[in-house]
């Protein structure tokens, strides 16, 4: 997995590129930047709260893995195959035996993401495009935001 590499926020100069895909011709340059004193490799974790999302969870996890070091799916008392499919897609899975609400599922995901530098949340029903993650991160970094929300409209 790759991490987003950028100059720390206090030294951030506007750049319109984040090197995220393994197909990037700048992969070697990205590794060199990460090793330099001027850059910091950020560990990105994506938290997906889910409730009965067996239809979309597999593709959502697989797509988000392209943009995050870790994908944590918090199952919120699903009665379908959500957990099984997320595990097959290699998400880290945390299970609430009963539905405790999206807020508590997010809190559980944040606790499980301990040690991450950046935590991104998305709905697990496929309404958000994981390819937008670099755009959300770029906008947050440019605005020097610590907390940022994004809608499906980018």
């Amino acid at each position: 997995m790759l991490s987003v590499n950028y100059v720390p926020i206090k030294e951030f100069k506007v750049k319109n590129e984040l090197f995220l895909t393994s197909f990037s011709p700048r992969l070697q340059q990205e590794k060199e930047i990460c090793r330099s004193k001027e850059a910091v490799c950020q560990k990105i974790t994506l938290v997906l709260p889910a409730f009965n999302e067996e239809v979309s969870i597999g593709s959502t996890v697989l797509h988000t893995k392209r943009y995050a070091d870790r994908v944590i799916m918090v199952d919120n008392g699903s009665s379908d195959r959500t957990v099984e499919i997320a595990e097959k897609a290699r998400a880290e899975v945390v299970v609430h035996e009963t539905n405790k609400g999206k807020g508590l599922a997010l809190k559980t995901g944040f606790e499980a993401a301990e040690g991450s530098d950046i935590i991104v949340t998305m709905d697990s029903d496929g309404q958000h495009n994981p390819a937008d993650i670099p755009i959300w991160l770029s906008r947050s970094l440019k605005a020097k935001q610590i907390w940022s929300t994004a809608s499906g409209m980018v």
Side-chain angles (χ1 to χ4, degrees), residues 81-142:
R81 298 179 329 132
T82 299
V83 170
E84 176 187 342
I85 294 169
E87 287 173 340
K88 284 184 179 180
R90 299 189 185 236
E92 296 174 40
V93 176
V94 180
V95 177
H96 289 173
E97 294 299 323
T98 60
N99 191 316
K100 299 181 184 223
K102 185 176 180 180
L104 193 53
L106 287 170
K107 182 179 178 188
T108 299
F110 294 156
E111 290 168 356
E114 183 179 347
S116 299
D117 298 308
I118 298 172
I119 300 172
V120 177
T121 66
M122 285 180 35
D123 289 342
S124 56
D125 62 3
Q127 73 172 314
H128 299 123
N129 183 354
D132 291 335
I133 293 171
I135 297 167
W136 299 338
L137 292 176
S138 177
R139 288 180 181 175
S140 293
L141 295 173
K142 286 178 187 173

Side-chain angles (χ1 to χ4, degrees), residues 5-131:
N5 300 318
Y6 65 92
V7 177
I9 290 175
K10 65 182 179 181
E11 299 174 16
F12 187 77
K13 294 188 174 105
V14 176
K15 293 185 180 182
N16 293 324
E17 291 184 63
L18 293 175
F19 309 116
L20 292 168
T21 67
S22 59
F23 306 107
S24 172
R26 298 183 186 227
L27 182 59
Q28 189 60 39
Q29 181 182 3
E30 179 179 346
K31 289 178 182 176
E32 291 170 13
I33 291 171
C34 187
R35 288 187 204 114
S36 76
K37 293 180 183 178
E38 297 175 353
V40 176
C41 292
Q42 300 293 320
K43 184 173 183 179
I44 300 173
T45 298
L46 193 102
V47 174
L48 296 169
F51 177 70
N52 290 336
E53 297 294 349
E54 71 179 1
V55 172
S56 59
I57 194 65
S59 60
T60 300
V61 169
L62 291 172
H63 288 295
T64 57
K65 288 179 76 93
R66 292 184 62 197
Y67 304 101
D69 298 293
R70 296 173 65 195
V71 176
I72 300 171
M73 193 274 298
V74 181
D75 180 68
N76 208 6
S78 295
S79 58
D80 63 2
R81 298 179 329 132
T82 299
V83 170
E84 176 187 342
I85 294 169
E87 287 173 340
K88 284 184 179 180
R90 299 189 185 236
E92 296 174 40
V93 176
V94 180
V95 177
H96 289 173
E97 294 299 323
T98 60
N99 191 316
K100 299 181 184 223
K102 185 176 180 180
L104 193 53
L106 287 170
K107 182 179 178 188
T108 299
F110 294 156
E111 290 168 356
E114 183 179 347
S116 299
D117 298 308
I118 298 172
I119 300 172
V120 177
T121 66
M122 285 180 35
D123 289 342
S124 56
D125 62 3
Q127 73 172 314
H128 299 123
N129 183 354

